[in-house]
Amino acid sequence: ATIPTSFKEANAVIQRRCVQCHSANPTDDANLVAPNGVMYDTPEQIHNYAEKIMTRAVRTKTMPQGNKTGMTDEERTILKRWILQGAKLN
């Protein structure tokens, strides 16, 4: 059975591991602008990039780049479940 996963849970991972670079105002020491213009500042932006998150953070594990922020396999699983359950915002 699939464990229900809320946007709140997925967003917590994104806020902890992704927005340092993927934001209108990145705090990362190397990325002064959001790479490729990808930003996760709003729920809508996160939802719109759900498939890219699935590809880069879950399937290929190429994000965070060099796993700079230390995303865990458990956090990747949270993102995967949320996306496979429809990437709902509510």
Side-chain angles (χ1 to χ4, degrees), residues 13-28:
V13 173
I14 291 166
Q15 296 305 311
R16 209 169 29 249
R17 307 297 184 194
C18 307
V19 297
Q20 294 86 337
C21 296
H22 293 286
S23 171
N25 300 298
T27 59
D28 182 70

Side-chain angles (χ1 to χ4, degrees), residues 1-6 9-10 54 58 74-88:
T2 302
I3 299 168
T5 305
S6 68
E9 293 170 277
M54 178 65 98
V58 177
E74 181 180 333
E75 289 170 324
R76 293 176 196 282
T77 298
I78 289 168
L79 294 175
K80 179 181 179 179
R81 287 193 313 239
W82 173 69
I83 294 165
L84 289 177
Q85 292 168 22
K88 297 175 185 162

Side-chain angles (χ1 to χ4, degrees), residues 27-83:
T27 59
D28 182 70
D29 58 354
N31 290 294
L32 304 178
V33 296
N36 299 315
V38 176
M39 292 180 250
Y40 302 138
D41 294 322
T42 68
E44 293 76 19
Q45 287 172 321
I46 294 167
H47 172 79
N48 290 340
Y49 283 111
E51 279 305 312
K52 185 176 283 274
I53 293 168
M54 178 65 98
T55 299
R56 299 295 304 271
V58 177
R59 290 189 180 122
T60 65
K61 297 183 180 181
T62 55
M63 282 287 141
Q65 193 165 33
N67 204 18
K68 184 174 185 175
T69 60
M71 185 180 286
T72 66
D73 286 341
E74 181 180 333
E75 289 170 324
R76 293 176 196 282
T77 298
I78 289 168
L79 294 175
K80 179 181 179 179
R81 287 193 313 239
W82 173 69
I83 294 165

